[in-house]
Amino acid sequence: MHWVPVAALSDNYIWLVADDEGNAFVVDPGEAAPVEAALKERGWTLRAILLTHHHADHIGGVSDLVREHDVEVYATDDPRIQPKNHFVADGDIVELESPKASFRVIAVPGHTRSHVAYYGEGFLFCGDTLFSVGCGRLFEGTPAQMLASLDRFADLPPETKVCCAHEYTASNIRFALTVDPDNDALRRRRDEVARLREEARPSVPSTLGDEFATNPFLRVDSDAIARWFAPQAGNVDDRVERFAALRRAKDTFAA
Ligand code: ZN
Ligand code: FE
C-alpha cells in the first residue's frame, strides 16, 4: 500500500491510501480540493471514503468527492454524518474491494459520542481520538469513556501506524514534558518533531509503540503520571481521576 497524509484546512491531515494500481481511499476528507490535487498528482482513482466522526473538518469534502467520483462512503449511524451509504458499528469488518483491504471498526466514544477508529493493514485511523503525544478534547464524552476508548488500542501491534487527523504534535509535546519531564523517549520525540517541522514535514504517522512510550494519555498507569498527579486533590490510585486531571490540565495549557 502507498499512503500520504494530505494537508488540509489549517492543521488537518486527510489520509490517502492506494494500491499499486492506484485504487485509493481517503479517511476524513474535511475538504475536497487537496484530495483532488493529490489524486491527480499521482494518477490515483478514488474508490472509498472512511469517516471517523461528524465534525466539519472531517466530513466537509465528502459531498464534493461523492459528486465527482464513484465512491462508497463508510460511517457510523449518526444523522450528523451525511452523505454515506454504509453504516459501520463496533466490531464490524469493512471489506474494501478496491483497493483490497479490510479494517476493523473500533467504537471510541469520548471526543464525540459516535466516533469510531479503523484498524487494519498496519494502519490505525483514529481521527480525533488519539493524536501523537495527545488525545482529543472531550466534547461529548466523559474521561472514563475516553480512557476506555484509548485502552482499546493497547492490544494492537506496536508497529501499527497511528494515522491521526491533526498536526498537533509539537504543542502536545510541550504539554507532555510538563507532566512527564524525565521521559527520554519523549525528549527524543521532541527533537525528532522539531527537525521534521523545521523541514515542513508531517510529524505523523508515529507508531503505537512510540505513543505508548511518549503519550501521557496512554501512560496514566505509569509512575511518572502518578508522581505528577500526587500533589493534587483526588485519589492517586484512581486511573480515571488521573486521566481526567491530565485532560483538564491540557485543556488549559497555553501551548
Ligand atoms: Zn473532531
Ligand atoms: Fe478534527
Side-chain angles (χ1 to χ4, degrees):
M1 289 284 196
H2 308 274
W3 50 269
V4 58
V6 177
L9 301 166
S10 55
D11 50 29
N12 279 75
Y13 288 125
I14 300 168
W15 291 91
L16 175 61
V17 181
D19 63 17
D20 287 340
E21 281 73 53
N23 301 300
F25 69 90
V26 280
V27 184
D28 285 359
E31 56 177 347
V35 174
E36 297 289 10
L39 289 166
K40 198 165 166 211
E41 191 186 325
R42 293 167 178 79
W44 291 352
T45 307
L46 189 64
R47 306 279 191 197
I49 299 174
L50 306 183
L51 302 174
T52 65
H53 69 294
H54 73 279
H55 285 157
D57 62 310
H58 297 254
I59 68 170
V62 177
S63 300
D64 285 347
L65 292 171
V66 164
R67 208 170 307 120
E68 292 298 318
H69 305 270
D70 184 16
V71 286
E72 306 295 318
V73 184
Y74 298 83
T76 46
D77 185 9
D78 183 322
R80 298 174 297 183
I81 305 179
Q82 299 294 346
K84 60 179 177 264
N85 48 16
H86 297 277
F87 291 142
V88 301
D90 188 48
D92 285 358
I93 305 292
V94 172
E95 297 272 7
L96 300 183
E97 283 302 314
S98 171
K100 193 128 199 70
S102 73
F103 297 96
R104 179 153 52 89
V105 178
I106 306 174
V108 286
H111 178 68
T112 68
R113 63 177 166 272
S114 59
H115 198 304
V116 293
Y118 298 88
Y119 168 72
E121 315 294 335
F123 299 97
L124 176 65
F125 299 108
C126 45
D128 289 354
T129 294
L130 177 65
F131 294 124
S132 185
V133 200
C135 76
R137 282 179 186 265
L138 304 181
F139 289 120
E140 299 179 1
T142 63
Q145 271 178 324
M146 187 59 140
L147 182 56
S149 293
L150 294 173
D151 283 343
R152 298 198 59 189
F153 302 148
D155 294 335
L156 303 179
E159 65 274 18
T160 303
K161 285 189 266 303
V162 176
C163 299
C164 62
H166 289 274
E167 180 61 68
Y168 290 160
T169 316
S171 76
N172 286 343
I173 289 172
R174 283 193 288 279
F175 170 74
L177 282 166
T178 67
V179 299
D180 194 3
D182 301 324
N183 183 331
D184 286 336
L186 179 56
R187 289 180 187 163
R188 281 195 300 275
R189 181 79 171 124
R190 173 193 58 196
D191 296 344
E192 179 195 26
V193 170
R195 251 192 332 272
L196 288 168
R197 299 307 294 153
E198 221 163 84
E199 296 163 15
R201 288 161 62 194
S203 66
V204 294
S206 58
T207 66
L208 264 181
D210 294 338
E211 294 306 322
F212 278 97
T214 59
N215 190 323
F217 297 96
L218 298 180
R219 290 170 48 76
V220 289
D221 301 319
S222 69
D223 292 344
I225 299 303
R227 266 198 306 278
W228 167 79
F229 181 85
Q232 307 187 33
N235 178 5
V236 68
D237 295 328
D238 184 331
R239 62 196 299 271
V240 175
E241 282 195 34
R242 296 196 301 269
F243 179 82
L246 274 179
R247 189 55 261 178
R248 273 197 310 274
K250 177 63 168 69
D251 285 343
T252 54
F253 181 73

PDB file of all heavy atoms in Angstrom, residues 53 55 57-58 111-112 115 128 139 166, ligand 1:
ATOM      1  N   HIS A  53     -15.811  10.624  12.435  1.00  0.00           N
ATOM      2  CA  HIS A  53     -16.807  11.336  13.237  1.00  0.00           C
ATOM      3  C   HIS A  53     -17.339  12.531  12.467  1.00  0.00           C
ATOM      4  O   HIS A  53     -16.859  12.835  11.378  1.00  0.00           O
ATOM      5  CB  HIS A  53     -16.256  11.712  14.615  1.00  0.00           C
ATOM      6  CG  HIS A  53     -15.188  12.769  14.626  1.00  0.00           C
ATOM      7  ND1 HIS A  53     -13.942  12.566  14.072  1.00  0.00           N
ATOM      8  CD2 HIS A  53     -15.177  14.035  15.120  1.00  0.00           C
ATOM      9  CE1 HIS A  53     -13.207  13.658  14.244  1.00  0.00           C
ATOM     10  NE2 HIS A  53     -13.935  14.569  14.872  1.00  0.00           N
ATOM     11  N   HIS A  55     -17.516  15.880  12.782  1.00  0.00           N
ATOM     12  CA  HIS A  55     -17.057  17.273  12.737  1.00  0.00           C
ATOM     13  C   HIS A  55     -16.735  17.710  11.302  1.00  0.00           C
ATOM     14  O   HIS A  55     -16.195  16.929  10.512  1.00  0.00           O
ATOM     15  CB  HIS A  55     -15.837  17.460  13.648  1.00  0.00           C
ATOM     16  CG  HIS A  55     -16.213  17.473  15.108  1.00  0.00           C
ATOM     17  ND1 HIS A  55     -15.317  17.174  16.105  1.00  0.00           N
ATOM     18  CD2 HIS A  55     -17.387  17.743  15.718  1.00  0.00           C
ATOM     19  CE1 HIS A  55     -15.932  17.264  17.287  1.00  0.00           C
ATOM     20  NE2 HIS A  55     -17.186  17.601  17.079  1.00  0.00           N
ATOM     21  N   ASP A  57     -14.515  19.486   9.953  1.00  0.00           N
ATOM     22  CA  ASP A  57     -13.148  19.393   9.424  1.00  0.00           C
ATOM     23  C   ASP A  57     -12.787  17.950   9.048  1.00  0.00           C
ATOM     24  O   ASP A  57     -11.670  17.691   8.580  1.00  0.00           O
ATOM     25  CB  ASP A  57     -12.124  19.975  10.411  1.00  0.00           C
ATOM     26  CG  ASP A  57     -12.069  19.248  11.737  1.00  0.00           C
ATOM     27  OD1 ASP A  57     -13.138  19.032  12.351  1.00  0.00           O
ATOM     28  OD2 ASP A  57     -10.955  18.884  12.173  1.00  0.00           O
ATOM     29  N   HIS A  58     -13.739  17.016   9.216  1.00  0.00           N
ATOM     30  CA  HIS A  58     -13.515  15.614   8.839  1.00  0.00           C
ATOM     31  C   HIS A  58     -14.435  15.151   7.715  1.00  0.00           C
ATOM     32  O   HIS A  58     -14.119  14.182   7.019  1.00  0.00           O
ATOM     33  CB  HIS A  58     -13.675  14.700  10.069  1.00  0.00           C
ATOM     34  CG  HIS A  58     -12.653  15.009  11.114  1.00  0.00           C
ATOM     35  ND1 HIS A  58     -11.575  14.205  11.362  1.00  0.00           N
ATOM     36  CD2 HIS A  58     -12.509  16.094  11.923  1.00  0.00           C
ATOM     37  CE1 HIS A  58     -10.825  14.775  12.295  1.00  0.00           C
ATOM     38  NE2 HIS A  58     -11.364  15.921  12.652  1.00  0.00           N
ATOM     39  N   HIS A 111     -14.332  11.964  22.311  1.00  0.00           N
ATOM     40  CA  HIS A 111     -14.277  13.240  21.577  1.00  0.00           C
ATOM     41  C   HIS A 111     -15.697  13.582  21.107  1.00  0.00           C
ATOM     42  O   HIS A 111     -16.177  14.691  21.316  1.00  0.00           O
ATOM     43  CB  HIS A 111     -13.304  13.090  20.418  1.00  0.00           C
ATOM     44  CG  HIS A 111     -13.179  14.308  19.549  1.00  0.00           C
ATOM     45  ND1 HIS A 111     -12.620  15.475  19.985  1.00  0.00           N
ATOM     46  CD2 HIS A 111     -13.541  14.522  18.249  1.00  0.00           C
ATOM     47  CE1 HIS A 111     -12.643  16.371  18.991  1.00  0.00           C
ATOM     48  NE2 HIS A 111     -13.196  15.812  17.940  1.00  0.00           N
ATOM     49  N   THR A 112     -16.334  12.612  20.439  1.00  0.00           N
ATOM     50  CA  THR A 112     -17.778  12.680  20.166  1.00  0.00           C
ATOM     51  C   THR A 112     -18.354  11.331  20.573  1.00  0.00           C
ATOM     52  O   THR A 112     -17.618  10.357  20.726  1.00  0.00           O
ATOM     53  CB  THR A 112     -18.091  12.912  18.667  1.00  0.00           C
ATOM     54  OG1 THR A 112     -17.701  11.745  17.929  1.00  0.00           O
ATOM     55  CG2 THR A 112     -17.363  14.146  18.137  1.00  0.00           C
ATOM     56  N   HIS A 115     -17.865   8.516  17.653  1.00  0.00           N
ATOM     57  CA  HIS A 115     -16.549   8.428  16.998  1.00  0.00           C
ATOM     58  C   HIS A 115     -16.121   6.956  16.858  1.00  0.00           C
ATOM     59  O   HIS A 115     -16.275   6.177  17.787  1.00  0.00           O
ATOM     60  CB  HIS A 115     -15.530   9.179  17.863  1.00  0.00           C
ATOM     61  CG  HIS A 115     -14.257   9.563  17.151  1.00  0.00           C
ATOM     62  ND1 HIS A 115     -13.446   8.656  16.521  1.00  0.00           N
ATOM     63  CD2 HIS A 115     -13.661  10.767  16.985  1.00  0.00           C
ATOM     64  CE1 HIS A 115     -12.398   9.293  16.006  1.00  0.00           C
ATOM     65  NE2 HIS A 115     -12.504  10.577  16.268  1.00  0.00           N
ATOM     66  N   ASP A 128      -9.876  12.077  15.711  1.00  0.00           N
ATOM     67  CA  ASP A 128      -9.515  12.994  16.800  1.00  0.00           C
ATOM     68  C   ASP A 128      -9.572  12.296  18.157  1.00  0.00           C
ATOM     69  O   ASP A 128      -9.803  12.942  19.181  1.00  0.00           O
ATOM     70  CB  ASP A 128     -10.469  14.203  16.828  1.00  0.00           C
ATOM     71  CG  ASP A 128     -10.249  15.149  15.660  1.00  0.00           C
ATOM     72  OD1 ASP A 128      -9.301  14.947  14.885  1.00  0.00           O
ATOM     73  OD2 ASP A 128     -11.049  16.105  15.530  1.00  0.00           O
ATOM     74  N   PHE A 139     -15.598  16.517  23.887  1.00  0.00           N
ATOM     75  CA  PHE A 139     -16.766  17.336  23.567  1.00  0.00           C
ATOM     76  C   PHE A 139     -18.061  16.656  23.974  1.00  0.00           C
ATOM     77  O   PHE A 139     -19.003  17.295  24.392  1.00  0.00           O
ATOM     78  CB  PHE A 139     -16.803  17.667  22.068  1.00  0.00           C
ATOM     79  CG  PHE A 139     -15.746  18.644  21.656  1.00  0.00           C
ATOM     80  CD1 PHE A 139     -14.794  18.301  20.707  1.00  0.00           C
ATOM     81  CD2 PHE A 139     -15.698  19.917  22.214  1.00  0.00           C
ATOM     82  CE1 PHE A 139     -13.822  19.207  20.309  1.00  0.00           C
ATOM     83  CE2 PHE A 139     -14.733  20.834  21.819  1.00  0.00           C
ATOM     84  CZ  PHE A 139     -13.787  20.474  20.872  1.00  0.00           C
ATOM     85  N   HIS A 166      -4.752  15.416  12.889  1.00  0.00           N
ATOM     86  CA  HIS A 166      -4.258  16.792  13.049  1.00  0.00           C
ATOM     87  C   HIS A 166      -2.757  16.832  13.320  1.00  0.00           C
ATOM     88  O   HIS A 166      -2.206  15.909  13.943  1.00  0.00           O
ATOM     89  CB  HIS A 166      -4.969  17.507  14.217  1.00  0.00           C
ATOM     90  CG  HIS A 166      -6.390  17.847  13.942  1.00  0.00           C
ATOM     91  ND1 HIS A 166      -6.776  19.005  13.307  1.00  0.00           N
ATOM     92  CD2 HIS A 166      -7.538  17.169  14.203  1.00  0.00           C
ATOM     93  CE1 HIS A 166      -8.097  19.031  13.193  1.00  0.00           C
ATOM     94  NE2 HIS A 166      -8.586  17.929  13.731  1.00  0.00           N
TER      95      HIS A 166
HETATM   96 ZN    ZN B   1     -13.185  16.470  15.775  1.00  0.00          ZN
END
